[in-house]
Amino acid sequence: MRAALKALEETLRSVLFGQERVIRELLATAVAGGHALLEGLPGLGKTLLAKAFAEASGLSYRRIQFTPDLLPADVTGTEILEDGQFVFRPGPIFAQVVLADEVNRATPKTQSALLEAMQERGVTVGGVRHPLPEPFLVLATQNPLELEGTYPLPEAQLDRFTAKIAFSAPPRATWVRILSEEPQTPQAVPGLDLLVARAEAAQVVVSQPALEAIANTAQLSGEEKHLRMGLSPRGAKAWLGLARALAYLDGRAHVDWEDLRGSALPALSHRLLLTEEAQFEGLRVEQVIQDLLRRTMPK
């Protein structure tokens, strides 16, 4: 299955130029069985990547534009009266890859419509639970600077995302390629099965020192004066899952220290929230995470 994932990675690189790290982190999130929060300025290819990933993976895809007037039923679906009885009509959440575009523009009530789907892989309407298709992956986008008219995601919602994948401007050498080449139309990669890849990645061995490093980091984060709260058990498991997925993608049967370091920022940066004092001092959460890693992992 790793060969098919490698082909998927190459396909995505032919669609989104100069974002190799972003593509690798998205694949790791998918293999880990999680959801991803895509953050970056407009026009960097967040929507393009989500659609290309679904097409190249052979998965069904739906895009939901989150706006202040969007209602929870617009996401989950609703019951309608038909021939004298209520019939459930599924909403756009019933797809294998769901793009929640500009998720922080919707009200908290509508944002909460994603919580059950992301955690339980199902939607409850009228007291009846409706399972979502597998694999199921939510990709949500948000703009880090455009604050007017937005509703910041609460901690409980952020914690449902396995990774926050930060988009940055492409390197200088890539600009000419972006301007001169048209992205390829992705074709479904033959033989790719994400469920099989997830099962295989779950067999990647994690040593006792690596587990202790994650536990020590979680413990120290709870004592860190610059953080409002420490790492939760769900966050620690997400970090471990991403590290396993990175090792699997690289063809290793065990997690090494670089896998833990490489997965720390996407797994932790949206979970470890700075205090107001730390923000006022100009401290960045990435600095706090790097300091925690220096204290818990070998050089």
Side-chain angles (χ1 to χ4, degrees):
M1 197 54 60
R2 281 196 295 267
L5 286 168
K6 185 67 175 177
L8 174 60
E9 185 172 12
E10 292 301 321
T11 298
L12 295 179
R13 287 185 177 186
S14 70
V15 174
L16 188 63
F17 306 145
Q19 298 287 359
E20 289 79 8
R21 174 191 55 80
V22 165
I23 292 170
R24 173 54 65 98
E25 290 178 359
L26 174 59
L27 292 181
T29 303
V31 170
H35 311 285
L37 180 62
L38 311 180
E39 185 176 84
L41 296 172
L44 291 179
K46 301 184 293 294
T47 301
L48 174 65
L49 178 60
K51 184 177 181 181
F53 171 81
E55 291 176 349
S57 303
L59 303 176
S60 59
Y61 170 79
R62 295 293 296 273
R63 177 179 179 269
I64 309 172
Q65 184 64 51
F66 277 65
T67 55
D69 60 345
L70 191 73
L71 299 176
D74 297 328
V75 176
T76 61
T78 188
E79 291 182 326
I80 64 172
L81 189 63
E82 188 175 280
D83 297 329
Q85 60 182 358
F86 284 101
V87 178
F88 176 66
R89 287 289 179 262
I93 195 71
F94 284 85
Q96 292 171 306
V97 178
V98 176
L99 174 63
D101 206 7
E102 295 187 298
V103 64
N104 55 340
R105 286 201 174 280
T107 62
K109 182 178 181 179
T110 301
Q111 291 176 11
S112 67
L114 290 174
L115 288 175
E116 181 187 5
M118 294 173 69
Q119 187 67 28
E120 306 295 338
R121 263 52 174 192
V123 169
T124 302
V125 177
V128 178
R129 184 179 186 276
H130 305 274
L132 291 165
E134 286 288 352
F136 175 69
L137 174 67
V138 171
L139 303 178
T141 70
Q142 67 175 8
N143 187 323
L145 297 180
E146 200 167 82
L147 300 178
E148 186 176 353
T150 63
Y151 302 85
L153 298 179
E155 289 85 348
Q157 180 81 56
L158 287 171
D159 204 36
R160 269 25 179 224
F161 290 101
T162 301
K164 184 177 82 168
I165 302 176
F167 280 64
S168 56
R172 183 182 181 90
T174 308
W175 277 99
V176 173
R177 186 182 181 194
I178 292 174
L179 296 172
S180 61
E181 293 185 28
E182 286 296 325
Q184 296 183 15
T185 301
Q187 303 296 322
V189 174
L192 178 63
D193 190 327
L194 270 181
L195 297 180
V196 173
R198 290 174 181 178
E200 293 177 351
Q203 303 304 312
V204 172
V205 177
V206 184
S207 67
Q208 187 65 25
L211 293 174
E212 291 175 356
I214 294 176
N216 291 338
T217 303
Q219 181 68 31
L220 288 175
S221 69
E223 302 167 359
E224 173 58 53
K225 65 178 182 179
H226 295 115
L227 296 176
R228 286 163 46 193
M229 63 178 65
L231 184 63
S232 68
R234 182 192 289 133
K237 288 185 176 181
W239 183 13
L240 177 60
L242 274 181
R244 269 197 167 113
L246 285 177
Y248 174 76
L249 290 171
D250 285 336
R252 289 189 299 277
H254 67 280
V255 170
D256 64 18
W257 295 114
E258 289 308 309
D259 295 321
L260 285 177
R261 292 189 181 94
S263 55
L265 284 181
L268 307 182
S269 61
H270 59 300
R271 292 184 164 93
L272 302 181
L273 305 179
L274 295 174
T275 62
E276 292 184 0
E277 292 81 0
Q279 295 178 52
F280 181 76
E281 294 171 4
L283 196 65
R284 294 183 298 110
V285 70
E286 292 82 3
Q287 295 172 288
V288 176
I289 293 173
Q290 293 299 344
D291 180 62
L292 290 172
L293 297 182
R294 282 192 293 269
R295 295 158 64 187
T296 57
M297 295 186 188
K299 295 182 179 179

